Amino acid sequence: MEKAKITAYQLFALVLLFELGSALLVALGIEAKQDAWIVILLGMIGGLLIFFVCYRLYCFYPDCLPTEYLQKIMGKGLGKSASFLYMLYFVYLAARVLRDFGAMLLTFAYIETPLFIANTLMILVIVYSVSKGIEVLARTGELFLVFIYFLAGSGVLLVLFSGVVDLHNLQPVLENGWKPIIKSTVKETIYFPFGELIVFTMIIPYLRDSKKVRNVSIIGIIVSGISLMLVMVFNISILGVKLTERSQFPLLTTIQTIQVADFLERLDVYFMIALIVGGFFKVALFIYAAVIGTANIFTVTPPSRLCYPIGLVVLLLSMTMASNFPEHLKEGISIVPFLLHLPFQIIFPVLLLGMAYLKNRKHKKQGTG
Amino acid sequence: MPSFFKKKSSSYNKKTGQEKKKEYSSSPLSAVLEENIEYIKTQTGNSTDIVIRSFKHSPRFNTKSAIVYLKGLTDSQTVQELLIEPLMKSNPAESDPISMEDMIEGYLPLGNMEQIKDWNALFPALMSGHTIIFVDGYSVAISSATEGGEKRAVEEPRTQRAIRGSKEGFTESIETNISLVRRIIQNPSLWTETMTIGRVTKTKVTIMYLKGIARDDIIEELRKRLEKIDIDGVLESGFLEQYIEDQSISAFPTLYHSERPDAVAGNLLEGRFALFVNGTPFVLLGPVVFVQFFQSIEDYTERFYISTALRFLRVLVFFISLIGPATYIAATTFHQEMIPTQLLIAIAAQRESVPFPSFVEALIMEVTFEILREAGIRMPEAIGSAISIVGALVIGQAAVQAGVVSPAMVIIVAITAISSFATPSFSIAISARLLRFLFMISAATFGFFGMILGFIILVVHLCSLRSFGVPYMSPLAPFIPADLNDTFVRGPLWADRKRPAFISGSNNVRQSESTGRPQPEQSSEMVTDQEGDQQ
């Protein structure tokens, strides 16, 4: 573990940027048509539940990383292997996000650039930042949060001035009842983007004031949920359900509808900044968690020695994980949630919490008796 | 490999410490006057500017004495009137042999006097302009402070002009500079410490801070870093700056330098330290933060709305000088769709006759401009006008007519150039000047993608910098809401109750509660005569 401390606001910024990261760009919960925003809110509640499980675990062991308390709960060998699995999971997720990001970038702006080049550049920047440590990453987050919300604010104003918002597109609410909403929540939003917060178990031990962990994270999750919901509401009310469904990047299409005073138009660069900054923080946090966790398991000092190797692994994995983008998306929708997200985000933490609870009760009894 | 953890200051270089001690091993003065004089002559190679004046101290006792000083470094009038005259005319009581103590206490009407017993203390004193008095039969010499000689007068600062504010600027003399600050802060807790740095030059360096406001750990750290320096010469404060910076491999300055006594005083009041170096009008200030480079002294004297607006302008100007040409390159090379159609047609029409891609075009213009600027700095003033004429031709109409560059490019380069001059701090302006070329390259290879990545690296780098342990981007990151009053915005002075928390320690209240916002009754709206109402 690094000898670093972050402030509550920094944690908030990281949670927010992480959540918005890639979720901002895709049509989240569009399976539920115009009720996508409800799906996002439900997913947010699911995310809060997952966070509470992690938080209880953190309360048992507030001073150590999950890789350490896994060993305390499950025993050394088993704990180490379980932690290692988690690190692999983080590396895989980092590679997934990187691939998503690279593919998006190429599709909308750099059609002839090879994917490998775009990903390499991105990973170089990320590895450099991760090697500077969590404090620097957190400070960068603080600055970029303001920047992103400034862009978002001006974007919203421009969209409103363009006069393209039609809230009727959001009606009728609950056209097909609750079923598709619940289905979409359980299938998607609860894991992506909210369940991925599991990576923050590696970050919260760094918070200076451990009492604030709960409130800050909850506020962060709620604000990010509401932001995502608003983005989706804007997307659907501007584009309509059909276009949102078909469009590869609804946010980009929405931004392209901006037209103010015949001069402010085609503000694609807004989308690009959101894409790159969001992708940067998401991948960086995953890689940071993987680096610090792996260093902890195998007692590598200093941990920064692992940044470049793990960065390389993520880069290569992002290239080889799927042979083309549709395949990548298919994996992401039908395989990853059940094979990876469900066990790693929900089943394992709940089991762990149960074990930790039993173990600590026993300790307490021994202590008092 | 970049560092993950903050490296604790590496182990002290014990060897240099020992060497230093060896150098100062004692070699006492002789009691024979001639031997002492001879030793000085051999040690200085009979240098012609050393004046050795021997005389009989008192006619009655025939005591031989000599005074030694350096011509030009001492005030000859002082030496004449206050040293030689009293010594030659002194008439001690008949039987008493004169002692050193008597001489100091009774005869010499000079302020700063001390006894020296060792050559290693004598030479630095002599070389810094002291006058040394030898008396035959004593292995002790008297050193009297008679520094003088030619100095530049206090003038208006050349580099940091202010519209409203003091017109005094520092000079090359360290004593004058310290006194200029002391004159502003008349308080006994303004502490100074002097040391000499430079094995050969023996340059005087003074740390100044406000005891009780500056953080002791920062001062201690500064002292440690200064003591570590063992170089042959210190010619300017920039020499020291490079040895005491936290992060030496960075394009950004982590120490501030100022030529203005009022700026130094303001920074001392916020808890910073000042580092005076003899021989330069530039005083180092630290610890600094990024936003400080966008502040100017008259921000505090003007209306706060205006100062805030000006600070925003300066940030804008910094960004233009950083990414102006890069944005043009990225937009015309990769993202034509983002330019409004009318403008795009205009630019395309202009660029039709230009044979280069816009990156090359921009590079030609920027490099030309940098050449002109470099030439202009060191030119004698008489030739300056010639340069501006040639410059206007080269990066102006002629270049456009020759078909080398497009008019749009000329505008971009001109705006960028003006912007980089408008940044208040030269040291941050040159950082932007250098990084501009990196941004141009990244824009030329990857368009906005490259630029945004470059920007992320820039922000990460800035966030990773520290100045004497203080994060460079504070109070923005780490975010300290209480200190936002004096960053890119400037709140009214009465709202600025506390000193910046990231610099000053516990003693951070700058004004009393009652000083708050001035609200004289007469000035509030709708004044009613209350007594009149009652009637």
Side-chain angles (χ1 to χ4, degrees), chain B residues 464-534:
Chain B
S464 74
L465 287 180
R466 278 168 182 269
S467 171
F468 281 86
V470 175
Y472 199 49
M473 291 307 277
S474 54
L476 305 173
F479 185 67
I480 307 169
D483 292 335
L484 285 185
N485 208 11
D486 187 15
T487 48
F488 291 132
V489 296
R490 191 185 74 69
L493 277 187
W494 44 259
D496 218 5
R497 272 200 64 231
K498 300 238 169 127
R499 299 195 179 92
F502 47 90
I503 297 170
S504 59
S506 48
N507 174 15
N508 64 352
V509 178
R510 197 216 303 219
Q511 40 184 281
S512 66
E513 199 90 50
S514 58
T515 316
R517 182 176 169 194
Q519 272 179 312
E521 262 174 44
Q522 291 86 343
S523 67
S524 54
E525 293 119 17
M526 292 214 184
V527 180
T528 52
D529 182 2
Q530 292 209 333
E531 282 174 34
D533 281 355
Q534 278 165 4

Side-chain angles (χ1 to χ4, degrees), chain A residues 16-193:
Chain A
L16 213 53
L17 284 168
F18 178 83
E19 285 296 282
L20 299 183
S22 46
L24 200 60
L25 316 172
V26 297
L28 215 52
I30 195 65
E31 236 177 290
K33 309 253 183 236
Q34 65 270 39
D35 295 330
W37 57 277
I38 305 179
V39 175
I40 294 176
L41 287 186
L42 286 181
M44 179 183 89
I45 292 169
L48 282 175
L49 292 177
I50 293 176
F51 168 74
F52 267 113
V53 174
C54 300
Y55 177 68
R56 293 307 304 171
L57 274 171
Y58 164 77
C59 285
F60 281 124
Y61 308 98
D63 301 322
C64 49
L65 293 171
T67 45
E68 287 167 37
Y69 64 65
L70 271 174
Q71 295 176 33
K72 284 186 186 163
I73 295 172
M74 300 167 72
K76 202 152 191 191
L78 210 55
K80 273 199 174 175
S81 12
S83 318
F84 188 62
L85 281 181
Y86 260 103
M87 296 310 122
L88 289 182
Y89 176 61
F90 291 151
V91 167
Y92 179 76
L93 285 185
R96 264 206 90 70
V97 178
L98 187 66
R99 175 66 179 257
D100 274 337
F101 151 84
M104 283 183 195
L105 190 73
L106 298 195
T107 344
F108 102 93
Y110 299 90
I111 298 151
E112 294 186 20
T113 309
L115 180 65
F116 186 70
I117 300 292
N119 282 4
T120 308
L121 277 179
M122 188 74 178
I123 204 82
L124 278 177
V125 174
I126 289 166
V127 162
Y128 168 76
S129 317
V130 168
S131 69
K132 294 274 180 191
I134 187 71
E135 269 187 4
V136 172
L137 212 53
R139 282 187 222 140
T140 315
E142 273 177 300
L143 290 180
F144 272 109
L145 183 71
V146 178
F147 183 56
I148 290 285
Y149 269 83
F150 174 75
L151 283 188
S154 61
V156 166
L157 278 184
L158 288 174
V159 164
L160 290 177
F161 289 156
S162 306
V164 285
V165 180
D166 182 10
L167 287 177
H168 292 292
N169 280 334
L170 289 170
Q171 290 168 335
V173 180
L174 295 181
E175 192 181 11
N176 299 318
W178 284 96
K179 215 177 147 201
I181 295 177
I182 304 287
K183 199 175 148 206
S184 175
T185 307
V186 175
K187 259 177 75 183
E188 187 191 359
T189 51
I190 201 164
Y191 312 112
F192 171 82

Side-chain angles (χ1 to χ4, degrees), chain A residues 2 110 131 135 139 142 304, chain B residues 1 3-4 446 463 479:
Chain A
E2 258 188 284
Y110 299 90
S131 69
E135 269 187 4
R139 282 187 222 140
E142 273 177 300
S304 56
Chain B
M1 192 79 209
S3 64
F4 213 114
F446 284 97
C463 286
F479 185 67

Side-chain angles (χ1 to χ4, degrees), chain B residues 169-188:
Chain B
F170 287 128
T171 69
E172 280 75 14
S173 151
I174 190 167
E175 285 84 14
T176 316
N177 293 351
I178 292 172
S179 68
L180 284 174
V181 178
R182 275 227 188 259
R183 223 171 279 168
I184 300 175
I185 304 177
Q186 302 181 351
N187 196 312

Side-chain angles (χ1 to χ4, degrees), chain B residues 323-343:
Chain B
I323 58 173
T327 314
Y328 177 80
I329 293 171
T332 50
T333 318
F334 287 92
H335 310 279
Q336 295 91 347
E337 77 277 1
M338 292 183 197
I339 308 173
T341 321
Q342 294 269 308
L343 186 61

Side-chain angles (χ1 to χ4, degrees), chain B residues 245-453:
Chain B
E245 276 171 329
D246 287 54
Q247 172 76 278
S248 45
I249 305 172
S250 169
F252 290 92
T254 48
L255 283 171
Y256 190 80
H257 59 83
S258 179
E259 217 186 334
R260 302 184 58 88
D262 47 359
V264 170
N267 281 297
L268 287 172
L269 282 173
E270 287 191 340
R272 295 193 176 84
F273 63 80
L275 192 63
F276 294 80
V277 178
N278 199 13
T280 172
F282 293 101
V283 173
L284 291 180
L285 290 164
V288 293
V289 291
F290 185 64
V291 290
Q292 217 179 333
F293 291 95
F294 297 91
Q295 301 171 352
S296 163
I297 190 78
E298 71 252 27
D299 291 354
Y300 300 93
T301 49
E302 289 300 332
R303 320 289 312 153
F304 69 92
Y305 293 119
I306 296 160
S307 330
T308 302
L310 284 178
R311 282 190 183 174
F312 280 140
L313 183 72
R314 290 183 200 137
V315 176
L316 178 72
V317 147
F318 178 74
F319 276 107
I320 291 177
S321 73
L322 194 62
I323 58 173
T327 314
Y328 177 80
I329 293 171
T332 50
T333 318
F334 287 92
H335 310 279
Q336 295 91 347
E337 77 277 1
M338 292 183 197
I339 308 173
T341 321
Q342 294 269 308
L343 186 61
L344 183 64
I345 292 170
I347 292 176
Q350 291 167 9
R351 295 207 65 238
E352 209 173 5
S353 63
V354 179
F356 308 115
S358 56
F359 172 61
V360 177
E361 194 189 353
L363 207 60
I364 292 173
M365 292 299 279
E366 284 293 337
V367 171
T368 314
F369 180 73
E370 294 299 333
I371 294 172
L372 278 174
R373 166 140 78 176
E374 197 53 32
I377 291 175
R378 267 166 279 278
M379 276 291 151
E381 267 172 47
I383 313 177
S385 59
I387 286 188
S388 53
I389 293 167
V390 176
L393 283 177
V394 174
I395 52 169
Q397 199 58 34
V400 173
Q401 278 172 357
V404 183
V405 293
S406 61
M409 196 64 234
V410 174
I411 296 174
I412 299 277
V413 171
I415 289 178
T416 313
I418 295 296
S419 296
S420 82
F421 285 127
T423 314
S425 164
F426 179 70
S427 44
I428 205 95
I430 46 174
S431 317
R433 202 166 129 191
L434 190 67
L435 292 175
R436 180 193 308 150
F437 286 93
L438 293 183
F439 271 100
M440 277 161 62
I441 294 170
S442 59
T445 44
F446 284 97
F448 280 133
F449 175 47
M451 276 177 68
I452 297 170
L453 286 186

Side-chain angles (χ1 to χ4, degrees), chain A residues 320-362:
Chain A
T320 52
M321 70 196 322
S323 47
N324 52 39
F325 196 52
E327 188 185 322
H328 175 75
L329 284 182
K330 179 116 175 47
E331 282 172 0
I333 290 165
S334 54
I335 300 174
V336 175
F338 301 103
L339 221 56
L340 288 176
H341 287 341
L342 188 63
F344 277 105
Q345 292 178 358
I346 299 176
I347 297 175
F348 278 0
V350 171
L351 283 179
L352 271 177
L353 183 61
M355 286 162 81
Y357 182 70
L358 289 175
K359 196 150 194 172
N360 279 283
R361 201 181 53 175
K362 217 173 10 179

